[in-house]
Amino acid sequence: MLEKSLQAIFLLSLVSFTYSFPLSTNKRWIINASTGQRVKLACVNWPAHLQPMLAEGLDKKPLGEIVAAVVKMHFNCVRLTWSTFMFTRPNYGHISVSQTLDSLDLKEAKQGISKNNPFILNMTHIQAYEAVVGELGAQGIMVLLDNHISKPDWCCSNTDGNGFFGDRYFDPNEWMKGLSFVADRFKEKRQVVAISLRNELRGPRQNEPDWYKYISEGARVVHKRNPHVLVFVSGLNFDLDLRFLQKSPLALDLDNKLVYEIHWYSFSQDQNMWKTQPTNIVCYKVTQSFINRAVFLTTRKNPAPLVLSEFGFDQREVNLADNLYMTCLMAYAAETDLDWALWALQGSYYLRGGLKGAEETFGALDSTWQRPRNPNFLERLRFLQTKTHVPTTSRTRTSYIIFHPLSGNCVNANARNELYASNRGPFSRWSYGGDGTPIRLMDRSLCLKVVGDGLPPMLSNDCQSNQSAWSLVSSSKLHLATKDDEHGGELLCLQVSPTNSSQVVTTKCICVGDDSSCLQNPQSQWFKLVLTNVLSLA
């Protein structure tokens, strides 16, 4: 059986791969090294770093069906995690999956794998990992191999011994040995487009001198072994902080292969803010914090790509802070056309924190792995999976798309000049000159004009009146408002109807002033004007 399994892996590696190229960087963008065209990473995390050292969910569904679900949900890459010990210590990576499941008393998981992926059981953990990488490539999915932890376990805490160089389980030499092994082992796999040096450096030992020393050494090791892959570099404090690079940039020449990564969750700052302060103010604060901590890397003299390699929320939508944070994040990610990786794919774990079969409420799939946990959220993500900006050296025509992050829809106009909201292209293009100017539908010489409270705005030839003069009026810069002069000069904001997500209306603006006691939820009125230079958006 093992021989047949290895043969299957070999055959998978021969399947024509959609992304048959190495990736490179051009300033802040990730590009196809052969053509120079931008490649946007819209990824999902798939853990394989916990104690069973196996990609989650193989007890629930056949491997091919799990990868097919990734494709169906419109992700184009997977951040596949791994633990150092699996590749450096024979008593971890070179024993069979079956032996490990038995040692952890995971009887139900073993039975499930025997049913859905029986060929996996007699494989070593390294072979099983390669089988997952092979299937991802066979179905056209790019792979980012992420060194998540050293000793296989759930990540992360300040005291787990895996946090920083020199910790109990984090020997720098062993870490570099693991990086070298992985870079060499997968260098012929074209689907492996990137290797991340380490996830969420943290803990009491963390310091900048050691960060520069070991990150530089690890990056050079990977680049020497496999010069085709992108090298992802994370910062300090659970990968929330890259600010130290402002005063001392990383002096590293990787032939346009260096990419930085950052994480952003609702708990990255004080979650309680979302409940006790106006939502517009909090969104501004956390977005500005994110910009200060990392985004400067994309705008400095020698810019580099930045990937939001972890973000996510409880997809049951039962956590207010999570829900508000996610809409705020989506507005910023759309505006800047970030590359990203959602946490996470899995609906459950074989073993997490001592609990067998633990559910993952952040998972895109439900606990049975049969269907999406939150189909509406996947629909909201569709626009973020679209590439809205490409690098160019020539003067390219630009326009705006009006994006509504709460629904994931964009404001469009049909052939009859009627407005509607949808997350399917082609998207209407708009021009806008800044506060107090009209929002014009390009190529039709028509402007958005307010009609009245609760009514849809209209497309009009009247582009001179106050009712066609739009401004961003809140601290979040997410409210598009104008005055209704025909009804007392009231300030009205653009809104997607709470009862019909395809209908656009204007209503009284929610919490746009400086009133610190205004705790209403304004997100139905949040819109982001997304600048694009892509001529055709599907």
Side-chain angles (χ1 to χ4, degrees):
M1 180 178 290
L2 178 58
E3 182 178 352
K4 290 182 179 179
S5 299
L6 293 175
Q7 183 180 13
I9 296 173
F10 175 73
L11 290 174
L12 282 172
S13 70
L14 298 180
V15 176
S16 178
F17 181 62
T18 303
Y19 299 95
S20 56
F21 51 81
L23 300 184
S24 188
T25 66
N26 177 4
K27 297 181 180 179
R28 67 151 290 192
W29 306 111
I30 294 170
I31 62 169
N32 179 323
S34 301
T35 66
Q37 295 180 342
R38 185 185 169 203
V39 176
K40 179 173 182 176
L41 301 182
C43 315
V44 66
N45 281 271
W46 190 359
H49 67 272
L50 281 80
Q51 287 171 281
M53 295 179 289
L54 185 66
E56 303 291 341
L58 298 181
D59 58 334
K60 303 292 186 180
K61 297 284 287 183
L63 173 58
E65 292 186 21
I66 296 175
V67 177
V70 173
V71 175
K72 186 175 182 180
M73 292 186 288
H74 303 282
F75 299 108
N76 65 8
C77 81
V78 160
R79 182 177 183 246
L80 187 66
T81 69
W82 56 278
S83 57
T84 299
F85 289 5
M86 191 176 81
F87 290 101
T88 59
R89 302 191 179 189
N91 58 328
Y92 282 82
H94 292 281
I95 62 174
S96 72
V97 171
S98 180
Q99 287 175 287
T100 297
L101 295 175
D102 288 342
S103 70
L104 295 171
D105 193 31
L106 294 175
K107 296 184 178 67
E108 290 187 13
K110 185 175 180 179
Q111 290 173 356
I113 294 171
S114 179
K115 174 185 176 183
N116 291 296
N117 296 285
F119 66 97
I120 290 287
L121 287 175
N122 289 326
M123 286 182 168
T124 67
H125 289 281
I126 294 175
Q127 290 168 346
Y129 193 83
E130 288 178 318
V132 173
V133 171
E135 183 61 32
L136 288 165
Q139 296 198 38
I141 298 294
M142 294 179 286
V143 183
L144 161 59
L145 302 181
D146 168 62
N147 178 228
H148 212 73
I149 202 165
S150 294
K151 182 183 179 183
D153 207 343
W154 175 245
C155 178
C156 302
S157 81
N158 277 312
T159 58
D160 60 11
N162 285 279
F164 199 72
F165 306 107
D167 279 359
R168 181 180 180 184
Y169 304 117
F170 196 172
D171 174 68
N173 292 325
E174 184 174 15
W175 169 70
M176 282 187 275
K177 179 181 176 183
L179 289 174
S180 178
F181 185 97
V182 169
D184 188 64
R185 184 92 175 195
F186 291 96
K187 66 182 177 183
E188 302 301 326
K189 305 293 184 182
R190 291 177 294 173
Q191 65 268 45
V192 176
V193 297
I195 293 177
S196 173
L197 297 184
R198 188 69 172 197
N199 175 71
E200 296 196 355
L201 293 164
R202 61 197 180 276
R205 297 179 63 94
Q206 64 180 331
N207 65 86
E208 293 175 17
D210 280 348
W211 185 92
Y212 283 99
K213 171 181 170 60
Y214 292 118
I215 288 296
S216 297
E217 291 179 7
R220 291 190 184 101
V221 163
V222 170
H223 188 58
K224 180 179 179 180
R225 288 287 184 173
N226 186 347
H228 299 299
V229 294
L230 300 173
V231 179
F232 276 49
V233 170
S234 64
L236 298 172
N237 191 27
F238 293 86
D239 200 14
L240 299 177
D241 194 356
L242 288 155
R243 287 175 297 178
F244 55 93
L245 290 168
Q246 288 180 307
K247 60 184 180 183
S248 181
L250 185 60
L252 197 60
D253 183 6
L254 297 182
D255 302 317
N256 297 316
K257 298 293 185 179
L258 178 63
V259 176
Y260 293 96
E261 58 179 309
I262 190 76
H263 295 174
W264 185 6
Y265 290 100
S266 66
F267 47 80
S268 299
Q269 291 88 27
D270 178 14
Q271 281 186 313
N272 196 49
M273 289 192 298
W274 293 103
K275 301 176 184 178
T276 59
Q277 299 178 34
T279 302
N280 283 309
I281 293 175
V282 177
C283 182
Y284 169 78
K285 286 181 178 179
V286 299
T287 301
Q288 196 60 48
S289 173
F290 180 73
I291 292 170
N292 293 340
R293 288 184 284 112
V295 178
F296 67 88
L297 291 163
T298 69
T299 59
R300 62 184 182 175
K301 183 179 179 180
N302 296 307
L306 177 71
V307 176
L308 179 60
S309 59
E310 280 190 30
F311 75 102
F313 77 133
D314 188 332
Q315 294 200 26
R316 298 171 300 175
E317 297 186 341
V318 297
N319 183 302
L320 176 64
D322 264 4
N323 298 342
L324 298 175
Y325 134 88
M326 181 54 68
T327 309
C328 179
L329 180 151
M330 289 181 67
Y332 184 76
E335 177 186 24
T336 52
D337 201 12
L338 278 174
D339 298 84
W340 49 264
L342 176 72
W343 187 274
L345 173 66
Q346 69 278 5
S348 64
Y349 298 89
Y350 308 116
L351 180 68
R352 173 181 163 178
L355 180 62
K356 299 175 183 178
E359 184 175 6
E360 176 55 272
T361 60
F362 279 45
L365 295 173
D366 67 11
S367 59
T368 69
W369 293 67
Q370 297 289 334
R371 59 190 63 86
R373 181 179 298 278
N374 187 336
N376 289 334
F377 177 65
L378 291 176
E379 284 296 305
R380 288 175 66 190
L381 276 182
R382 287 294 295 274
F383 184 72
L384 294 190
Q385 293 168 323
T386 302
K387 178 171 57 181
T388 59
H389 202 95
V390 294
T392 179
T393 56
S394 61
R395 188 172 182 84
T396 304
R397 187 185 186 193
T398 60
S399 57
Y400 287 100
I401 297 169
I402 306 175
F403 175 62
H404 185 251
L406 182 62
S407 65
N409 290 334
C410 298
V411 179
N412 299 312
N414 62 24
R416 298 185 298 275
N417 293 328
E418 298 167 335
L419 295 172
Y420 68 98
S422 172
N423 67 355
R424 300 292 195 273
F427 302 108
S428 294
R429 306 306 185 94
W430 307 85
S431 66
Y432 181 58
D435 284 351
T437 65
I439 297 176
R440 298 175 183 268
L441 182 61
M442 295 183 70
D443 302 325
R444 294 194 210 175
S445 301
L446 299 174
C447 300
L448 278 182
K449 181 178 180 180
V450 71
V451 176
D453 186 13
L455 300 175
M458 64 182 295
L459 285 170
S460 169
N461 289 310
D462 176 14
C463 298
Q464 305 303 318
S465 70
N466 284 338
Q467 290 176 263
S468 299
W470 295 84
S471 297
L472 296 167
V473 296
S474 64
S475 55
S476 67
K477 298 300 182 183
L478 292 172
H479 283 81
L480 282 168
T482 189
K483 290 183 178 179
D484 182 9
D485 282 348
E486 294 183 7
H487 298 87
E490 187 173 39
L491 200 63
L492 298 180
C493 281
L494 202 63
Q495 178 172 330
V496 165
S497 171
T499 58
N500 182 355
S501 63
S502 66
Q503 184 180 24
V504 181
V505 296
T506 54
T507 58
K508 295 178 183 179
C509 297
I510 300 172
C511 295
V512 296
D514 296 326
D515 184 359
S516 61
S517 66
C518 187
L519 299 180
Q520 290 177 268
N521 185 349
Q523 292 184 99
S524 62
Q525 295 181 343
W526 278 4
F527 289 86
K528 176 57 69 174
L529 289 167
V530 178
L531 187 66
T532 180
N533 66 353
V534 178
L535 296 179
S536 178
L537 290 176

